[in-house]
Amino acid sequence: IDEESGAFRLVFESDLRNEPAVRERVEQVERGCIAAITDTIISDTGVSKARAELLASGLVGAAETAAQFWLAGGRQVPKDEAESLLTSLSWRGISSFPLAGESA
């Protein structure tokens, strides 16, 4: 998102996602991210796959929305700090779920 090439904006802020090949590639990457996060959530918490996928899709969506906001807002927060803030927000939220084998 932070590269000067503008590729992110071309894909996410234009109608290019209406092109079937582009849409499929974006969805493939999104599914891969959701799957990886889902596996971690299941491993750590023991929640069902359906619940973990829902949580994972929320984390991916929040990251995408925040990245778009950061870019559109002129990168007012330094990139490293923005990443740290969002990571803390995401993992502090998900950490409220008990680890597998622990009671709630």
Side-chain angles (χ1 to χ4, degrees), residues 4-25:
E4 293 300 323
S5 71
F8 179 86
R9 284 188 167 175
L10 180 63
V11 173
F12 288 92
E13 296 178 2
S14 74
D15 61 356
L16 191 58
R17 285 180 84 171
N18 292 331
E19 294 294 324
V22 174
R23 181 176 54 248
E24 174 55 33
R25 181 67 177 136

Side-chain angles (χ1 to χ4, degrees), residues 1-92:
I1 186 169
D2 194 31
E3 293 181 8
E4 293 300 323
S5 71
F8 179 86
R9 284 188 167 175
L10 180 63
V11 173
F12 288 92
E13 296 178 2
S14 74
D15 61 356
L16 191 58
R17 285 180 84 171
N18 292 331
E19 294 294 324
V22 174
R23 181 176 54 248
E24 174 55 33
R25 181 67 177 136
V26 169
E27 289 173 358
Q28 179 184 16
V29 169
E30 185 177 81
R31 286 191 306 269
C33 291
I34 291 170
I37 295 170
T38 294
D39 291 346
T40 299
I41 292 171
I42 290 171
S43 173
D44 286 354
T45 68
V47 300
S48 71
K49 183 174 182 179
R51 286 169 176 81
E53 285 176 328
L54 179 63
L55 293 168
S57 73
L59 290 171
V60 169
E64 182 180 327
T65 300
Q68 289 173 339
F69 180 85
W70 177 79
L71 185 63
R75 301 174 174 102
Q76 293 183 28
V77 175
K79 181 181 175 186
D80 291 345
E81 184 181 355
E83 290 171 352
S84 179
L85 286 167
L86 291 167
T87 298
S88 293
L89 174 65
S90 297
W91 292 118
R92 284 183 182 163

